[in-house]
Amino acid sequence: MSSNPDIETIQITKDNLEKLKFNSEGLIPVIAQDYKTGEVLMMAWMNLHSLRDTLKNGKASYWSRSRQAYWVKGESSGHFQYVKEIFYDCDGDTLLMKVDQVGAACHTNKRSCFYRKIQ
């Protein structure tokens, strides 16, 4: 639990998710951030099923738009994301997950998906 007075803690359980706004495809964007360093690791999508599983199991689960499939981060690579905290933005249409990242977050085997800089 955060001691920051600007953080509003609202109990959202796996059955009480009406505060969140999923898009027309039933998805919500999620930013995964290292809970210790604040480094942004990746952006992915969740549907209601993957969000409920994440809340239940404590491992980040997502929906792949390209494969049209549910996936647990690290299931094939061993690079799991253990969820420490989940925040949602002021509009309720984006999630921020603070995670303990095991290994690489990116499918290219880089620590973060954001390893390319525009100059």
Side-chain angles (χ1 to χ4, degrees):
M1 183 173 266
S2 177
S3 61
N4 182 339
D6 292 331
I7 301 288
E8 177 183 343
T9 302
I10 297 172
Q11 185 67 33
I12 294 191
T13 66
K14 63 182 180 193
D15 298 316
N16 177 21
L17 301 172
E18 68 274 354
K19 295 185 185 303
L20 300 179
K21 297 173 188 166
F22 294 82
N23 69 15
S24 61
E25 297 172 337
L27 302 174
I28 191 167
V30 183
I31 301 294
Q33 180 182 42
D34 185 285
Y35 83 104
K36 289 180 188 170
T37 68
E39 177 184 21
V40 174
L41 300 171
M42 59 181 277
M43 181 274 173
W45 295 90
M46 284 185 166
N47 61 14
L48 190 55
H49 171 71
S50 58
L51 178 55
R52 283 186 172 141
D53 274 4
T54 297
L55 291 169
K56 179 181 173 186
N57 300 324
K59 289 182 187 173
S61 303
Y62 299 104
W63 178 258
S64 170
R65 294 184 308 162
S66 61
R67 292 181 313 224
Q68 291 291 298
Y70 165 89
W71 58 286
V72 176
K73 178 68 178 158
E75 202 167 55
S76 60
S77 67
H79 298 169
F80 290 98
Q81 290 176 342
Y82 296 98
V83 178
K84 298 296 187 178
E85 295 178 298
I86 302 176
F87 296 83
Y88 62 97
D89 73 340
C90 55
D91 296 322
D93 62 2
T94 304
L95 300 178
L96 171 66
M97 274 195 325
K98 295 192 177 191
V99 301
D100 181 8
Q101 177 68 54
V102 175
C106 186
H107 74 281
T108 65
N109 216 27
K110 301 254 188 225
R111 169 85 181 147
S112 169
C113 291
F114 297 95
Y115 61 89
R116 295 179 281 197
K117 182 178 175 181
I118 296 173
Q119 292 232 352

